[in-house]
Amino acid sequence: MIMKNNDLQLNKSMKLTTLITILALSAANAFGQQYTVSGYVKDQATGEVLVGATVYDAALQKGATTNGYGFYSLSLPAGSHTVKCSFVGYQTVEFSANLNGNVSHNFGLTEETVSLDAVTITAEGRDMALRTNQFCEERLTMRSIRQMPSMFGEADVVKVVQLQSGVKTLGDGSSGMFVRGGGNDQNLILIDEAPIYNPSHLFGLVSIFNPDAVNHVELFKSNMPAQYGGRVSSVIDCKMKEGNPNKFDFAVGISPLSSTLTASGPVLRERASFLVSARKSLIDLFCNAGDVFSLMPAFYDVNAKLNFQINSRNRLFLSFYNGKDRIESSDGFFNRWGNTSGTLRWNVNIGSRLFVNTSVIVSDYTNYMEFNENKHKYRWETGITDVNLKTDLAFYISPENTVKAGLGTTHHHFVPGQTADSLQSIPQINAFEHFAYLLHDFTPVEWLGVNYGVRLSVFQNCGEATWYEYNSEHQVVGTEKSSSGVYKTHTSIEPRVNVNFKLAADRSLKLGYARNAQYMQVLQNSTLSYSSLETWFPANANIKPVLVDVVSAGWFQNLGSQYSLSAELYYKWYTNQIDYVDHARLLNNPYIEGEVRTGTARAYGLELNARKTQGRLTGGISYTYSRSLRTIDGINDGREYSSLYDIPHDLKINANYRLTANWSASAVWIYTSGRPTTLPVGFYQTENSYSDLVVPIYSERNSSRFPAYHRLDLSVGYEPEKQGRVVWSANFGLYNVYGRKNPLGYRFDTDHGQVRVMQTTLFRLLPNFAVKARF
């Protein structure tokens, strides 16, 4: 009966979508005969699509932007028009059309020759925040990402995302991201639509995003549009390159941590192309565990993609990602984790205004650990496997009126924790997650834009399962079993709305509200990006989904032709926030749900940004004041306490200076408040006939703080003109220039009754480089 009700809800959503589409189309036709220019915008040299490119008629002041697949649709009145296409860093091109019917036209843009007085380096152009109705969106191109100093000389998507206002991290090398008061597991990370459950290589020093395989990245903070769901803090949507359909390209790169090999080219000229890019760590090739490092890390990853243009309206894509990490020690500790994903995607534009994307997605994440203790060998394995089918459609009624809708379903298979002893294992869980959404983006009058939508999500535990019942004291009082069918259902309606008041050509005020639901969370006792004790656990009979309501307001303004300012406020309410009791046992514990407590949380903040977007010197300054607080029965005596990522003050300064047409210099300085932790406030010594034991006395939950974190990074990059058969580029840098000893953690030891505090620091001054050859 539950399935029938959900089907009825989905059918109602689709009927509503059809009705709105018909009404909107009728309204559009009522204003006179219109025809549409549509097609794709690509880089002329590489064949890669350009996302966020602008196609416009300057005379009518009407324009459209390309979607996540490079497709645009621009409706104009009948008659002669000059349509222009522009994108940051590329030469603007024109197309003359005499519209007496719909026209299909693809644009190929050529990169601009560097002019030192007119260099433009921004996420996607400084006007995006003013003209789009969507709130809290950043578009990052590889051009802008490569301008930032990196830890090991190689551009890193995650490190650049961490530099955005409202995004926190926990120290040196971490790939963890805590967005607007949310946890690391509350970020939806996608590679070609496939979810990635752990974005870290080498303890978090390197992210899984290979810069040679990435086309562009979109970041949404809290106010995600209705097509995204399943997480409550942010979306990081990464699209891979498609490969060069015109000629073969090869690239080889090396840095202190890894080497990279990339190849792309045509399968059928101008009809089909491929891309393959592989990375491999170097440390493990020259060292063994115990020689230099007590823990020896190693990793590899592979990105691959095939792109087929069946005809002018149909395109087929096949994407693949596989990445694995391994850490081992000489005393028997071994940990292996990794992500594997595959996406089969079919794009079709029906007519000139309707764009449909259908995807079949498979994603698998596993984490395996083994270690020796008291002459016994233990192992622990966790993971999650997803199979997802979804369809999204976008109907471009006019430049000011777009309707989007979609639906899909995902089957999740959870392995919360398996050991050699079945009595110590956590039962496996199967679940379905269904969704349907409807979104409408329109500008009814010149000064007002509205983006609103609703998402219906349903999560169903199903299949053969065993779970435990707990009393009010969180003790096991019974066991329940299911042999088949659905045994628990959670349903959420998630409305979202953004309003853009375009007060003038150079300023706007945006207001937004969103509700987000998340049906799976990570149970772990560490917020660092790397943790071997990591279990993805779904909502079920004992754990409810996290619900978050967020209200936001933002002021955006351009100053002259080079500068932009913004100020954003947000407040978030969390329902069903989970946390662990003190001294929770996570490993080999089938009753792990009894260690979990549920309550509420709140997060709020102010984000201030100033950017210089043109000229030889470009960059920005951002300051964030924010708080992230929890109130959970059974923890901290029920009193409100700081989350582990409650970092009030956050200041980030980045700058890039174009020295010559080929050389540039970059700098980043970061300052943040110390993150919360629970440290001993005293010790007492026990005395007995066998030994003297020093026992710590702990304070309230997360009532202590680390010292303030700050560091300066510098880099110099060389990018020659694209001439000759082989083109060399290089990047040289210094990480943590003034050698700040930022603590990663503390350890406590005793020596003859005296307590010693030892600080763990990951890096001080660290030189780095990366060299790449393209041919």
Side-chain angles (χ1 to χ4, degrees):
M1 190 56 149
I2 294 172
M3 291 296 291
K4 290 182 179 179
N5 288 337
N6 290 332
D7 289 340
L8 181 59
Q9 289 172 321
L10 295 180
N11 288 335
K12 287 181 177 178
S13 298
M14 291 306 297
K15 290 179 180 178
L16 182 59
T17 301
T18 303
L19 178 60
I20 290 179
T21 301
I22 294 172
L23 291 175
L25 180 58
S26 300
N29 289 333
F31 289 103
Q33 188 66 46
Q34 299 239 338
Y35 296 107
T36 302
V37 181
S38 62
Y40 292 83
V41 179
K42 297 186 176 184
D43 184 303
Q44 182 68 33
T46 66
E48 296 295 336
V49 299
L50 299 177
V51 176
T54 302
V55 181
Y56 60 99
D57 184 325
L60 296 179
Q61 295 187 339
K62 290 183 178 293
T65 58
T66 54
N67 65 11
Y69 310 101
F71 177 81
Y72 76 92
S73 177
L74 176 62
S75 296
L76 299 168
S80 297
H81 298 272
T82 299
V83 179
K84 297 183 179 181
C85 181
S86 65
F87 189 69
V88 174
Y90 287 78
Q91 299 176 14
T92 299
V93 298
E94 295 182 354
F95 168 67
S96 296
N98 186 12
L99 296 183
N100 52 21
N102 295 331
V103 174
S104 177
H105 182 77
N106 297 329
F107 288 96
L109 303 188
T110 303
E111 286 194 73
E112 290 179 334
T113 303
V114 174
S115 173
L116 296 183
D117 296 326
V119 174
T120 302
I121 302 172
T122 63
E124 185 263 337
R126 68 197 187 104
D127 294 332
M128 188 186 75
L130 299 179
R131 70 172 186 261
T132 60
N133 299 330
Q134 177 58 47
F135 205 179
C136 307
E137 177 184 6
E138 294 280 355
R139 289 178 182 167
L140 304 171
T141 65
M142 288 309 301
R143 174 190 290 264
S144 61
I145 290 171
R146 292 185 189 280
Q147 301 302 320
M148 298 293 183
S150 57
M151 177 174 290
F152 295 104
E154 191 173 80
D156 194 303
V157 169
V158 168
K159 297 300 184 288
V160 174
V161 169
Q162 290 173 340
L163 290 177
Q164 308 304 309
S165 61
V167 182
K168 312 283 187 179
T169 185
L170 297 183
D172 292 330
S174 171
S175 288
M177 293 168 287
F178 305 89
V179 182
R180 291 190 168 182
N184 194 35
D185 62 330
Q186 294 175 350
N187 305 309
L188 178 62
I189 301 174
L190 304 171
I191 293 183
D192 272 8
E193 304 181 19
I196 299 297
Y197 289 96
N198 188 325
S200 304
H201 287 315
L202 297 182
F203 302 104
L205 302 181
V206 180
S207 79
I208 64 167
F209 297 103
N210 179 348
D212 283 357
V214 173
N215 183 331
H216 78 284
V217 179
E218 289 182 283
L219 168 66
F220 298 92
K221 296 180 290 186
S222 297
N223 292 73
M224 290 85 81
Q227 64 261 38
Y228 295 105
R231 301 294 187 276
V232 295
S233 284
S234 74
V235 175
I236 300 170
D237 190 353
C238 173
K239 293 293 194 304
M240 288 169 52
K241 292 180 178 178
E242 298 176 359
N244 195 326
N246 303 314
K247 63 178 183 178
F248 290 96
D249 290 325
F250 301 92
V252 178
I254 188 169
S255 69
L257 287 186
S258 65
S259 59
T260 307
L261 177 64
T262 305
S264 73
V267 178
L268 296 172
R269 185 169 296 276
E270 298 183 356
R271 294 293 299 274
S273 61
F274 77 93
L275 169 79
V276 177
S277 188
R279 288 190 299 179
K280 174 71 176 71
S281 59
L282 300 177
I283 300 175
D284 55 302
L285 299 180
F286 304 101
C287 302
N288 295 316
D291 292 346
V292 178
F293 305 100
S294 57
L295 289 175
M296 176 54 60
F299 83 90
Y300 77 86
D301 59 29
V302 178
N303 293 78
K305 193 167 185 177
L306 290 173
N307 164 31
F308 300 93
Q309 182 176 332
I310 301 172
N311 54 41
S312 61
R313 297 188 178 276
N314 290 269
R315 295 167 184 263
L316 199 64
F317 304 88
L318 180 61
S319 306
F320 172 79
Y321 171 81
N322 176 250
K324 289 290 187 293
D325 276 75
R326 185 183 75 252
I327 294 176
E328 56 185 326
S329 70
S330 57
D331 61 1
F333 176 83
F334 178 82
N335 188 201
R336 180 184 67 245
W337 75 94
N339 301 274
T340 301
S341 69
T343 304
L344 177 62
R345 193 171 76 236
W346 175 33
N347 287 173
V348 54
N349 46 298
I350 303 172
S352 56
R353 298 185 184 184
L354 181 60
F355 184 89
V356 182
N357 175 71
T358 301
S359 303
V360 179
I361 305 161
V362 178
S363 176
D364 179 73
Y365 169 68
T366 58
N367 192 323
Y368 175 82
M369 180 182 66
E370 61 182 41
F371 60 94
N372 298 318
E373 185 175 311
N374 298 325
K375 298 182 180 181
H376 292 284
K377 189 171 185 177
Y378 295 91
R379 69 176 180 86
W380 183 251
E381 182 174 6
T382 67
I384 176 173
T385 301
D386 294 342
V387 179
N388 179 11
L389 173 64
K390 70 185 190 76
T391 296
D392 304 273
L393 64 87
F395 190 52
Y396 302 95
I397 301 166
S398 70
E400 301 84 14
N401 198 347
T402 301
V403 173
K404 296 182 179 181
L407 55 83
T409 187
T410 301
H411 178 266
H412 302 288
H413 176 72
F414 296 89
V415 181
Q418 296 292 300
T419 70
D421 182 0
S422 60
L423 296 178
Q424 298 294 317
S425 297
I426 302 175
Q428 299 185 25
I429 303 172
N430 290 285
F432 279 102
E433 185 172 358
H434 315 288
F435 74 88
Y437 71 87
L438 177 66
L439 181 151
H440 189 200
D441 188 300
F442 76 114
T443 303
V445 291
E446 185 178 352
W447 55 269
L448 177 66
V450 182
N451 179 297
Y452 68 95
V454 63
R455 184 181 181 92
L456 171 66
S457 56
V458 179
F459 193 87
Q460 298 178 311
N461 302 109
C462 61
E464 185 176 355
T466 300
W467 67 96
Y468 303 101
E469 291 184 330
Y470 297 86
N471 61 17
S472 59
E473 302 298 322
H474 301 279
Q475 299 171 334
V476 176
V477 295
T479 302
E480 294 288 339
K481 292 186 177 182
S482 171
S483 57
S484 62
V486 174
Y487 59 88
K488 184 64 178 179
T489 298
H490 301 275
T491 302
S492 297
I493 298 176
E494 306 167 46
R496 299 161 191 193
V497 60
N498 301 288
V499 181
N500 183 13
F501 298 95
K502 303 172 185 179
L503 306 178
D506 61 352
R507 71 198 67 173
S508 72
L509 171 67
K510 292 186 179 183
L511 304 176
Y513 165 78
R515 164 165 279 210
N516 300 298
Q518 180 166 333
Y519 297 98
M520 60 183 76
Q521 302 179 68
V522 165
L523 305 184
Q524 67 180 45
N525 59 358
S526 171
T527 58
L528 297 178
S529 60
Y530 163 77
S531 174
S532 56
L533 300 179
E534 167 184 79
T535 296
W536 281 91
F537 219 86
N540 53 36
N542 296 312
I543 297 178
K544 296 180 180 179
V546 178
L547 300 176
V548 175
D549 294 277
V550 55
V551 292
S552 306
W555 176 272
F556 304 89
Q557 182 164 358
N558 291 339
L559 299 177
S561 61
Q562 297 188 11
Y563 300 93
S564 63
L565 302 174
S566 67
E568 298 181 57
L569 287 164
Y570 67 88
Y571 198 102
K572 301 169 71 173
W573 297 266
Y574 288 74
T575 305
N576 303 327
Q577 175 66 57
I578 67 170
D579 205 341
Y580 278 119
V581 296
D582 295 334
H583 314 297
R585 183 166 73 92
L586 306 186
L587 196 64
N588 293 353
N589 183 7
Y591 311 113
I592 192 171
E593 292 175 356
E595 310 278 15
V596 173
R597 301 294 183 268
T598 303
T600 62
R602 61 192 182 104
Y604 56 88
L606 167 66
E607 300 171 9
L608 303 175
N609 288 276
R611 292 177 179 175
K612 184 176 186 293
T613 58
Q614 291 186 11
R616 299 181 71 166
L617 175 65
T618 59
I621 301 174
S622 71
Y623 168 75
T624 301
Y625 175 79
S626 61
R627 300 302 307 270
S628 177
L629 307 167
R630 295 178 175 180
T631 304
I632 298 177
D633 289 339
I635 299 177
N636 205 47
D637 295 326
R639 297 189 299 274
E640 187 175 63
Y641 63 96
S642 296
S643 72
L644 284 169
Y645 33 87
D646 174 41
I647 303 173
H649 300 284
D650 182 350
L651 176 64
K652 299 167 182 173
I653 303 174
N654 71 83
N656 181 273
Y657 188 75
R658 178 66 65 171
L659 300 169
T660 69
N662 305 122
W663 288 91
S664 63
S666 299
V668 170
W669 187 72
I670 299 172
Y671 173 91
T672 67
S673 304
R675 57 188 173 93
T677 188
T678 305
L679 296 177
V681 294
F683 298 85
Y684 70 89
Q685 186 171 356
T686 63
E687 298 183 1
N688 54 51
S689 58
Y690 300 100
S691 63
D692 293 337
L693 187 65
V694 176
V695 179
I697 303 172
Y698 287 96
S699 62
E700 296 181 349
R701 176 72 67 96
N702 296 339
S703 61
S704 301
R705 286 189 179 271
F706 282 71
Y709 176 97
H710 54 88
R711 77 169 197 269
L712 172 67
D713 303 336
L714 300 175
S715 72
V716 176
Y718 173 71
E719 188 75 31
E721 296 180 10
K722 297 181 179 180
Q723 297 178 353
R725 190 176 184 86
V726 179
V727 179
W728 293 88
S729 61
N731 187 288
F732 308 91
L734 293 173
Y735 180 88
N736 196 5
V737 172
Y738 50 80
R740 166 74 174 178
K741 295 177 67 175
N742 290 303
L744 188 65
Y746 293 101
R747 293 183 295 114
F748 298 90
D749 198 2
T750 57
D751 183 14
H752 299 93
Q754 299 296 315
V755 177
R756 296 184 301 173
V757 180
M758 291 167 285
Q759 175 179 307
T760 301
T761 299
L762 190 59
F763 296 118
R764 298 189 69 181
L765 176 64
L766 183 69
N768 58 77
F769 71 91
V771 179
K772 184 169 295 184
R774 294 184 179 276
F775 51 92

